[in-house]
Amino acid sequence: MPLTEDQQKRPPSAGISVDDVGRSTRSAAPQPLHASSQEWLPALLKRILPSTPSQVVQRVMLTVLVASVVILGIANPIFRQSDNLLNVLQQAAMVGIIAGGMQLMIISGGFDLSVGIVAAAAGCAAAYVSLQHGIAIGILVGLVAGLLAGFVNGILVAKIGINPFVATFGTQAVVTGLLYAATGATPIAPLPSGWTDLGLKNIAGISFASLTFVVVILILLFVLRCTLFGQHIYAVGSNKEGSRRAGIHVDRVLIAVYAIGGLCAAIAGILLVSISGIGSPATGTQWALLAIAAVIIGGTPLTGGVGGISSAVIGILSLTVLTNALNLYSVSAYWQPALTGTAVLLAVGFEAFRSARKR
């Protein structure tokens, strides 16, 4: 039957049936809620659950730290007293600041064995200058001394190409000799009373050293997570040659990282002077190894390219709680190095085991 003129002008969509409308309506119907939950729930779990061996070690050590604090708090009334807990935080402050700087260096693929003697040298420099020019100028000189020592380490590693172990070990020997020659291996004392006033200062019961520790950690956390420089540190630690081809100034990044590490060491040394009231060239001899141990125990491997400031914080708090518990139970201090070494071996061994299983 031929179509009329009106039928020929009618658009094809006018002939859609009721069944077609029903089918289109059913296809446009909203999906059930459980379908969307199936999409975001795995993503949430992926962010929460550890996905790498280093993250597993970090979560395990955090669990151990929290469990230790809870158990010690229940078992020993002295441990849970606020004065003792604040004392734990202050004891962790100096080495914790150094561990924060060490964390950046390890992420970049290196480390620094000279931070302990650099801290002592910066403290002695600040103490000596303060006798003639005041505490403020003394602190400034101490900070510059630490920054300069870190800068030299960065030049040796980045520009000359010396292995970080050899470079920083050599720097440690040089600074030790210069410091002992300058001071005659004797403490610098007495110092102006303003030093101890600074060391004893507290806000809401929290000591100046503890507050400084928190501020330094927050600054380093911001640098790593919120700046382009922090991203470059991870990139350099993961692949130096690839980073260089991508346009990253690898040498500048490494020099800056070691300079920050030296600055952190200087801050720790100056804090110790403010607490003890003397500038001693013999302090900080074990700080470098303790800082490296804290970073490793916190879950950061020495291979570079991974880790975070939280690893250093977890590690140093774990070591400090351990030391505090040994003191409370009158256990010989000679056991502390053995227990620290055991913790390092367990952390590294567990990470190596997990990595081997993944392969």
Side-chain angles (χ1 to χ4, degrees):
M1 180 179 178
L3 297 176
T4 65
E5 185 178 353
D6 292 338
Q7 289 175 330
Q8 290 176 352
K9 292 180 179 180
R10 183 182 300 170
S13 59
I16 297 177
S17 65
V18 176
D19 293 336
D20 293 333
V21 175
R23 281 194 296 269
S24 64
T25 305
R26 285 193 297 271
S27 64
Q31 297 294 325
L33 292 177
H34 66 82
S36 60
S37 65
Q38 291 175 355
E39 296 177 0
W40 63 261
L41 186 57
L44 179 63
L45 292 176
K46 187 176 181 180
R47 291 178 64 88
I48 295 176
L49 297 178
S51 58
T52 64
S54 60
Q55 289 178 348
V56 173
V57 173
Q58 185 185 70
R59 304 296 167 81
V60 169
M61 290 309 303
L62 178 59
T63 304
V64 171
L65 173 61
V66 173
S68 300
V69 171
V70 172
I71 293 172
L72 286 170
I74 295 174
N76 195 315
I78 298 177
F79 178 83
R80 63 174 179 262
Q81 291 179 358
S82 59
D83 289 342
N84 183 66
L85 295 176
L86 291 173
N87 182 50
V88 168
L89 184 60
Q90 178 167 317
Q91 288 177 346
M94 272 81 77
V95 182
I97 291 172
I98 292 180
M102 188 71 72
Q103 181 75 62
L104 268 64
M105 290 183 277
I106 290 179
I107 292 174
S108 71
F111 53 85
D112 188 352
L113 296 177
S114 68
V115 287
I117 195 64
V118 168
C124 288
Y128 179 78
V129 172
S130 69
L131 295 175
Q132 303 294 330
H133 304 285
I135 295 176
I137 301 298
I139 291 175
L140 181 61
V141 170
L143 294 176
V144 171
L147 194 66
L148 180 61
F151 180 80
V152 170
N153 282 329
I155 292 292
L156 294 175
V157 173
K159 293 295 187 181
I160 302 180
I162 302 177
N163 180 276
F165 176 85
V166 177
T168 59
F169 181 77
T171 303
Q172 179 189 33
V174 171
V175 175
T176 300
L178 293 175
L179 179 61
Y180 277 60
T183 61
T186 57
I188 300 173
L191 298 180
S193 59
W195 277 110
T196 52
D197 293 340
L198 181 64
L200 296 176
K201 189 185 295 281
N202 67 82
I203 299 177
I206 303 175
S207 67
F208 176 72
S210 301
L211 290 172
T212 305
F213 171 46
V214 173
V215 170
V216 170
I217 291 298
L218 290 177
I219 292 174
L220 295 177
L221 179 65
F222 175 81
V223 168
L224 270 182
R225 304 188 101 182
C226 304
T227 67
L228 185 62
F229 173 65
Q231 296 176 18
H232 287 174
I233 295 175
Y234 283 103
V236 170
S238 298
N239 189 332
K240 287 185 176 62
E241 189 57 36
S243 299
R244 189 173 283 110
R245 292 177 179 177
I248 297 175
H249 297 286
V250 174
D251 293 350
R252 295 180 186 177
V253 171
L254 290 175
I255 292 171
V257 165
Y258 279 91
I260 292 172
L263 181 62
C264 288
I267 293 173
I270 292 170
L271 284 177
L272 185 60
V273 172
S274 70
I275 293 173
S276 63
I278 62 171
S280 174
T283 57
T285 54
Q286 299 297 319
W287 282 3
L289 297 180
L290 285 175
I292 295 173
V295 173
I296 295 173
I297 290 172
T300 300
L302 291 174
T303 52
V306 295
I309 294 299
S310 57
S311 296
V313 175
I314 293 171
I316 194 59
L317 288 180
S318 299
L319 292 176
T320 309
V321 168
L322 173 63
T323 303
N324 187 261
L326 293 177
N327 292 335
L328 289 178
Y329 287 97
S330 301
V331 179
S332 173
Y334 296 123
W335 283 103
Q336 183 182 348
L339 294 174
T340 300
T342 301
V344 171
L345 291 175
L346 288 175
V348 174
F350 181 74
E351 181 184 344
F353 175 74
R354 291 271 305 181
S355 299
R357 285 191 62 185
K358 278 196 168 186
R359 288 195 297 267

